[in-house]
């Protein structure tokens, strides 16, 4: 069964270095109207690599930290590509804690206009 989540961004910071740019994003994840997790996302732009031939893209890793009584929290990690022109992302689930391990290897998409992420 697909997991449909909405990301609510509350923080976005760019950090430039000689090789490119890091972008750090984070905040809350909702399922329907319920706040179910927080997230941290790291995007990496590499000059003359991810910005060539009309691509305006970055490598992206996003980890969802589910709310609950476990320490560390249950989690899912998404890895893929981010398009800066649309805000869209695509990739797959690379890691997850035991309750979410069935999602490892599934693809994900994130719609930049709606911030809805589908893991299917």
């Amino acid at each position: 069964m697909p997991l449909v989540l909405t990301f609510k961004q509350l923080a976005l910071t760019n950090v430039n270095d000689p090789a490119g740019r890091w972008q750090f994003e984070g905040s809350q994840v909702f399922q329907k109207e319920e706040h179910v997790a927080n997230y941290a996302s790291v995007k990496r732009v590499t000059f003359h690599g991810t910005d060539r031939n009309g691509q305006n893209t970055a490598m992206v890793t996003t980890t969802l930290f589910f709310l609950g009584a476990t320490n560390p929290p249950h989690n899912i990690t998404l890895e893929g590509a981010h398009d800066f022109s649309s805000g869209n992302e695509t990739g797959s689930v690379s890691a997850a804690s035991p309750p979410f391990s069935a999602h490892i290897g599934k693809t994900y998409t994130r719609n930049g206009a709606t911030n809805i992420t589908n893991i299917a």
Side-chain angles (χ1 to χ4, degrees):
M1 180 163 186
L3 194 55
V4 179
L5 305 167
T6 303
F7 289 18
K8 181 182 178 188
Q9 178 195 92
L10 296 177
L12 183 66
T13 303
N14 291 322
V15 179
N16 294 327
D17 62 37
R21 177 176 301 111
W22 293 97
Q23 187 175 76
F24 301 94
E25 174 187 348
S27 215
Q28 301 172 323
V29 179
F30 292 84
Q31 190 170 30
K32 298 188 180 181
E33 300 297 319
E34 182 183 357
H35 180 199
V36 297
N38 295 310
Y39 75 95
S41 180
V42 178
K43 297 174 191 79
R44 178 63 180 171
V45 172
T46 302
F47 295 146
H48 308 292
T50 61
D51 61 350
R52 306 235 351 148
N53 300 352
Q55 292 181 324
N56 185 18
T57 193
M59 301 174 285
V60 62
T61 300
T62 302
T63 300
L64 314 179
F65 303 100
F66 287 89
L67 303 178
T70 61
N71 285 317
H74 291 303
N75 58 81
I76 293 176
T77 297
L78 311 171
E79 291 188 296
H82 173 87
D83 176 67
F84 285 106
S85 298
S86 65
N88 294 342
E89 294 179 5
T90 187
S92 64
V93 177
S94 62
S97 57
F100 299 100
S101 63
H103 294 291
I104 294 173
K106 291 185 177 177
T107 60
Y108 88 92
T109 57
R110 180 175 175 186
N111 183 310
T114 64
N115 279 322
I116 293 177
T117 298
N118 289 288
I119 300 171

